[in-house]
């Protein structure tokens, strides 16, 4: 036990920082992708050693802890290159900014940033309702990353306790995935608001709804969509757009064909579809 705590104490010490970032945004994004499996392995070793419990509650908040551990350990891996992971404090789409550790960072102007990262965790035994990737393409940078981790309460061999284990992980650039999401949204009969023809009658130059998704019934899918397209007086928006698993769902022959065409042309999309199908298989099983 003492050896384990000594290892944790060593891990809490900050690694030596480089004087300045020696990675470009593209190189840092690629570095994070390459290091990710090692980071996940470290997190699983830690949670297996320290979070054994009876019960395994679904609404435990464990997903947020796993996201925090990912940010901490990935930041340690980046530190020798003068780069770190910073938490974005405000209620924004992204959870993290990848920043130059030696630079002044302004989360409002993005000064000092290389790119941003959105992190999502999904318990394989829970519903998907809160897990959405709904940021518009206009708000996603070319090196911005999307991290999705599925996890479950893993039984301890021969025992009565469980521990939170990250099971499957997707980590890649977010923009190609947004392109997949939007193409399938259209294939299912959805549309996107054109500033020149906004349902709210906005002046094109002042329209804040440009690019907002509308479902096949013409109702808005995000809170920031046109007010005239609210689904009903009781709810503000439909909230189906960008469901992490649902967004790749296809039922018609047309949408299935579209999905396969996209997978052939979009490597990130192909990887993500495989990730979802593998995760759903574990969830259903």
């Amino acid at each position: 036990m003492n050896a384990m705590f000594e290892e944790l104490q060593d891990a809490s010490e900050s690694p030596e920082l480089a004087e300045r970032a020696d990675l470009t945004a593209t190189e840092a994004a690629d570095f994070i992708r390459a290091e990710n499996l090692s980071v996940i392995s470290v997190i699983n070793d830690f949670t297996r050693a320290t979070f054994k419990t009876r019960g395994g509650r679904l609404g435990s908040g464990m997903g947020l802890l796993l996201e925090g551990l990912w940010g901490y350990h990935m930041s340690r891996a980046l530190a020798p290159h003068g780069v770190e992971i910073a938490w974005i404090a405000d209620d924004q789409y992204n959870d993290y900014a990848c920043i130059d550790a030696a630079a002044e960072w302004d989360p409002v102007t993005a000064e000092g940033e290389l790119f941003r990262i959105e992190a999502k965790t999904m318990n394989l035994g829970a519903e998907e309702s809160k897990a959405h990737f709904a940021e518009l393409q206009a708000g996603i940078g070319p090196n911005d990353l999307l991290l999705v981790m599925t996890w479950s309460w893993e039984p301890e061999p021969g025992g009565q306790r469980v521990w939170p284990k990250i099971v499957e992980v997707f980590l890649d650039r977010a923009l190609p995935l947004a392109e997949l999401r939007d193409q399938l949204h259209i294939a299912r009969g959805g549309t996107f608001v054109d500033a020149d023809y906004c349902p709210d009658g906005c002046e094109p130059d002042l329209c804040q709804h440009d690019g907002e998704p509308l479902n096949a019934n013409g109702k808005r899918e995000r809170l920031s969509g046109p007010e005239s397209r609210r689904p009903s007086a009781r709810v503000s928006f439909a909230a189906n757009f960008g469901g992490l698993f649902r967004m790749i769902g296809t039922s018609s022959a047309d949408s299935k064909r579209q999905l396969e065409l996209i997978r052939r042309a979009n490597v990130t999309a192909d990887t993500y579809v495989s990730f979802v199908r593998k995760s759903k298989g574990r969830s259903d099983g």
Side-chain angles (χ1 to χ4, degrees):
M1 182 67 72
N2 287 337
M4 183 189 75
F5 282 112
E6 287 174 5
E7 289 178 6
L8 293 176
Q9 186 175 14
D10 291 341
S12 68
E13 297 174 359
S14 298
E16 186 176 348
L17 287 168
E19 292 185 1
R20 57 180 298 277
D22 61 15
L23 298 175
T24 65
T26 298
E27 289 169 342
D30 289 341
F31 179 92
I32 289 173
R33 292 168 60 210
E35 287 292 312
N36 190 52
L37 290 182
S38 296
V39 165
I40 297 302
S41 179
V42 169
I43 295 172
N44 277 339
D45 287 345
F46 175 74
T47 56
R48 181 170 54 240
T50 57
F51 283 93
K52 288 179 184 175
T53 183
R54 294 194 186 192
R57 179 178 173 178
L58 288 180
S60 62
M62 187 59 66
L64 292 176
L65 175 63
L66 295 176
E67 292 174 18
L69 288 171
W70 183 91
Y72 168 75
H73 285 289
M74 187 58 74
S75 200
R76 283 178 53 83
L78 287 162
H81 296 281
V83 179
E84 65 178 312
I85 301 293
W87 284 82
I88 297 176
D90 297 331
D91 184 18
Q92 299 184 32
Y93 153 62
N94 296 107
D95 293 295
Y96 303 115
C98 184
I99 67 174
D100 183 335
E104 291 293 327
W105 174 46
D106 186 333
V108 176
T109 65
E111 180 184 355
E113 291 185 13
L114 301 178
F115 53 85
R116 293 191 168 189
I117 305 168
E118 169 70 347
K120 301 285 189 183
T121 47
M122 294 177 62
N123 187 310
L124 288 173
E127 293 186 9
E128 184 195 5
S129 58
K130 294 183 179 180
H132 279 73
F133 170 53
E135 181 66 10
L136 303 183
Q137 289 192 42
I140 301 174
N143 285 301
D144 286 1
L145 299 176
L146 175 66
L147 167 70
V148 185
M149 298 182 287
T150 60
W151 67 279
S152 65
W153 289 103
E154 181 77 5
E156 181 184 23
Q160 296 179 322
R161 292 173 175 79
V162 293
W163 59 278
K165 178 183 179 181
I166 298 172
V167 180
E168 301 291 345
V169 183
F170 170 86
L171 175 63
D172 213 323
R173 285 173 172 80
L175 196 52
L177 193 57
E179 293 169 355
L180 164 71
R181 175 201 65 199
D182 293 357
Q183 287 171 302
L184 290 178
H185 175 69
I186 293 171
R188 288 190 290 267
T191 59
F192 292 91
V193 174
D194 185 330
D196 290 328
Y197 306 98
C198 178
D200 280 2
C202 299
E203 290 292 332
D205 292 343
L206 301 175
C207 183
Q208 298 180 355
H209 307 127
D210 190 40
E212 290 286 352
L214 305 176
N215 64 23
N217 294 320
K219 303 303 181 181
R220 73 185 191 187
E221 287 286 336
R222 299 189 344 144
L223 180 61
S224 50
E227 182 64 23
S228 61
R229 296 303 178 92
R230 289 171 63 110
S232 72
R234 291 175 296 174
V235 295
S236 298
F237 58 107
N240 291 313
F241 181 75
L244 282 173
F245 281 8
R246 292 194 304 275
M247 74 180 193
I248 69 164
T250 53
S251 55
S252 69
D254 222 30
S255 58
K256 290 179 186 295
R257 185 165 48 252
Q258 181 73 4
L259 176 59
E260 292 311 311
L261 288 174
I262 296 169
R263 293 185 69 180
R264 291 176 200 154
N266 185 331
V267 175
T268 303
D270 184 57
T271 302
Y272 186 75
V273 171
S274 296
F275 159 77
V276 169
R277 289 178 175 173
K278 190 172 183 180
S279 295
K280 283 184 66 67
R282 289 180 182 275
S283 176
D284 296 340

